[in-house]
């Protein structure tokens, strides 16, 4: 009986000593945490989309507090979240221009030709490995198999009439669709940008017309119509400078292929 009692006492004493040692060690080796990190994290939307370039919202919160990322680095939260974070850190949250994704292709089913019938994996990344980079006659055109749609966590893209199309109201400009497109057909553009060239082909005009009814032929009519020098022809493709474009619409009106489109106002 005495042996059992002694064992219990010894174990109790050891438990107390171990507890005290753990408590002391916890204080000595404790890693100091900045309370601002948690406060910033609570402001972030929690989508963990990676559009900011950091591993989720936790990673972004730490980077913002450390000064490695701007307070407006979250593309999903936008200006409202940036303002809240700015208040926490005592810094000014500069107004950021909202951006949206845009697909540079007008080659719908009735306008773009096909080279053959593709029967492989219904995924753009797989199809682009097929001969000719897919079945579309234009090697620059959207394959319309939805890799970008699958990558979007916000339901902002859909395949319509053979090409990917973006709902600008649902898009948060996280950039996942940009990464997913194997043809590099998707750009992030200013939300209020007036006109874009819905084509990415760099082929000569006659070659473009042979494969698509809606491709830019690099004729230069749009550049000649522009009174603000906002359009140049680069690699057989019209390019619009958004900083110079005044939204007068003359380029869109005169484009013989109707490939210059108004995005938003």
């Amino acid at each position: 009986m005495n042996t059992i009692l002694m064992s219990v006492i010894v174990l109790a004493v050891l438990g107390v000593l171990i507890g005290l040692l753990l408590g002391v060690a916890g204080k000595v080796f404790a890693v100091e945490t900045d309370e601002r990190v948690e406060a910033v994290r609570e402001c972030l939307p929690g989508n963990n989309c990676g559009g900011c370039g950091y591993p989720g919202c936790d990673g972004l919160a730490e980077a913002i507090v450390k000064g490695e990322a701007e307070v407006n680095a979250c593309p999903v939260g936008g200006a409202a979240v940036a303002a809240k974070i700015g208040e926490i850190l005592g810094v000014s949250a500069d107004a950021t221009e909202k951006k949206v994704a845009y697909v540079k292709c007008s080659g719908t089913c009735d306008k773009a030709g096909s080279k053959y019938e593709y029967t492989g994996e219904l995924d753009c990344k797989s199809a682009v490995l097929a001969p000719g980079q897919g079945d579309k006659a234009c090697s620059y055109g959207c394959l319309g198999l939805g890799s970008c749609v699958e990558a979007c966590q916000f339901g902002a893209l859909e395949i319509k009439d053979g090409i990917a199309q973006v709902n600008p109201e649902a898009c948060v400009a996280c950039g996942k669709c940009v990464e997913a497109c194997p043809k590099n057909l998707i750009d992030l553009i200013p939300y209020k940008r007036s006109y874009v060239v819905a084509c990415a082909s760099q082929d000569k005009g006659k070659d473009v017309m042979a494969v698509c009814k809606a491709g830019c032929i690099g004729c230069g009519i749009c550049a000649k119509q522009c009174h603000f020098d906002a359009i140049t022809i680069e690699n057989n493709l019209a390019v619009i400078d958004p900083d110079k474009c005044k939204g007068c619409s003359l380029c869109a009106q005169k484009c013989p292929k109707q490939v210059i489109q108004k995005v938003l106002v």
Side-chain angles (χ1 to χ4, degrees):
M1 189 68 179
N2 291 335
T3 302
I4 295 175
L5 182 60
M6 184 61 69
S7 298
V8 171
I9 294 172
V10 169
L11 288 174
V13 172
L14 286 174
V16 172
L17 289 175
I18 291 173
L20 291 172
L21 288 173
L22 288 174
V24 172
K27 291 183 179 180
V28 172
F29 298 105
V31 177
E32 294 186 6
T33 58
D34 193 328
E35 295 180 355
R36 297 178 301 170
V37 174
E38 181 60 29
V40 170
R41 175 62 184 83
E42 291 179 358
C43 292
L44 296 173
N47 294 90
N48 292 309
C49 64
C52 59
Y54 291 88
C57 295
D58 290 336
L60 176 59
E62 292 184 7
I64 290 175
V65 172
K66 290 179 181 178
E68 297 173 357
E70 299 294 333
V71 296
N72 55 19
C74 175
V76 179
V81 167
K84 292 180 181 178
I85 296 174
E87 289 180 7
I88 293 171
L89 302 180
V91 298
S92 174
D94 295 331
T96 56
E97 185 175 18
K98 176 179 170 61
K99 292 186 176 182
V100 294
Y102 186 77
V103 182
K104 299 176 292 184
C105 182
S106 299
T108 52
C109 296
D110 61 326
K111 296 177 180 177
S114 297
K115 292 177 287 192
Y116 54 82
E117 183 178 352
Y118 175 73
T119 57
E121 187 75 21
L122 295 180
D123 174 82
C124 299
K125 294 182 179 179
S126 299
V128 79
L129 299 177
Q133 295 190 338
D135 61 346
K136 209 154 204 174
C138 174
S139 60
Y140 296 90
C142 174
L143 294 171
L145 295 178
S147 290
C148 54
V149 175
E150 184 178 351
C152 181
Q153 300 178 22
F154 306 96
L157 288 105
E158 65 174 333
I159 301 302
K160 189 174 181 180
D161 201 11
I163 61 173
Q165 295 188 19
V166 180
N167 176 355
E169 300 305 324
C171 179
V172 300
C174 69
K176 289 297 183 180
C177 59
V178 177
E179 297 174 4
C181 180
K183 291 289 191 78
N184 298 313
L185 277 175
I186 306 178
D187 283 342
L188 295 181
I189 64 174
Y191 182 81
K192 293 186 178 180
R193 183 171 177 174
S194 295
Y195 290 89
V196 293
V197 179
C199 180
S201 177
Q202 296 182 9
D203 289 338
K204 292 182 178 180
K206 63 176 183 177
D207 297 323
V208 173
M209 290 190 291
V211 296
C212 183
K213 298 176 182 178
C216 176
I217 57 177
C219 64
I221 292 177
C222 54
K224 294 175 182 177
Q225 293 296 320
C226 183
H227 301 311
F228 309 100
D229 297 323
I231 305 177
T232 55
I233 305 299
E234 301 176 14
N235 297 317
N236 302 311
L237 181 67
V239 178
I240 301 176
D241 185 338
D243 294 326
K244 293 181 178 180
C245 178
K246 305 300 181 183
C248 68
S249 80
L250 282 176
C251 57
Q253 294 177 36
K254 298 297 183 180
C255 176
K257 291 297 180 177
Q258 301 297 300
V259 76
I260 300 179
Q261 301 177 359
K262 187 174 186 180
V263 182
L264 292 166
V265 294

